Amino acid sequence: MAKITEKITDLINPTLEDMGYELVGVEYVASGKHSTLRVFIDTDQGIGIEDCEKVSHQLSAIFDVEDPIASQYNLEVSSPGIERPLFHIGHYQRFLGNDVALRLVRPIEGQRKFKGAIGSVSEVNNTIELVTELGPITLDIDMIEKANLVADF
């Protein structure tokens, strides 16, 4: 799936930037006829339904021409929301100190799900230090399958 999301990201990012939007990330969930392509966008002013509609129409036109996914899928365009997904090292740096919930590609000592605060980020090692209730743990960002901010109420 990583190749599809990278391909989509490379394809749509210039258009979104020209439209004044930040591409937060792309998720592709393959499920036969019910596959979903999610595109998360943002601006400093936030995202409204009109923004999602405008971007959806533009992306649909691009995908009709480029056809990056051979099978049937549903396109969803949305804001990242309060429990914002984190896709790359820049996101972890931007939200340093915030609580995150994440799931790894494969378990570490039998555990795939972790929750804690982002303690530090190393671009050199491509790792984050997650400060959990059991203490700090260093995780390779490439091992993270999914990560989201945790809403703090």
Side-chain angles (χ1 to χ4, degrees):
M1 295 308 145
K3 290 188 184 212
I4 289 175
T5 58
E6 288 173 19
K7 181 179 176 182
I8 300 286
T9 298
D10 292 343
L11 179 64
I12 66 175
N13 198 39
T15 300
L16 292 176
E17 285 179 356
D18 288 346
M19 294 175 72
Y21 296 102
E22 170 196 354
L23 175 60
V24 174
V26 175
E27 286 181 350
Y28 179 67
V29 180
S31 185
K33 291 182 192 176
H34 306 288
S35 297
T36 303
L37 176 63
R38 287 189 191 94
V39 177
F40 297 96
I41 58 172
D42 205 2
T43 68
D44 291 340
Q45 297 76 34
I47 295 296
I49 189 74
E50 303 83 16
D51 296 302
C52 295
E53 289 174 359
K54 185 166 77 170
V55 169
S56 179
H57 289 301
Q58 187 67 37
L59 295 184
S60 291
I62 292 169
F63 296 154
D64 285 347
V65 172
E66 298 294 331
D67 199 23
I69 301 173
S71 59
Q72 211 174 20
Y73 63 93
N74 293 311
L75 173 63
E76 294 179 4
V77 177
S78 75
S79 74
I82 194 164
E83 292 197 333
R84 178 185 197 101
L86 306 176
F87 289 95
H88 54 76
I89 196 163
H91 289 158
Y92 294 97
Q93 290 169 328
R94 180 174 172 186
F95 295 103
L96 195 64
N98 287 279
D99 288 337
V100 295
L102 54 85
R103 183 176 65 231
L104 301 179
V105 174
R106 60 182 176 274
I108 295 176
E109 295 178 21
Q111 186 174 349
R112 281 188 65 200
K113 294 181 180 181
F114 293 86
K115 189 174 180 180
I118 302 170
S120 64
V121 179
S122 171
E123 280 190 73
V124 174
N125 297 321
N126 198 42
T127 59
I128 65 165
E129 179 189 59
L130 191 67
V131 181
T132 71
E133 290 179 354
L134 301 174
I137 182 170
T138 301
L139 300 169
D140 187 317
I141 291 176
D142 293 335
M143 287 288 297
I144 300 172
E145 181 176 71
K146 185 175 179 94
N148 293 77
L149 291 180
V150 175
D152 190 22
F153 295 103

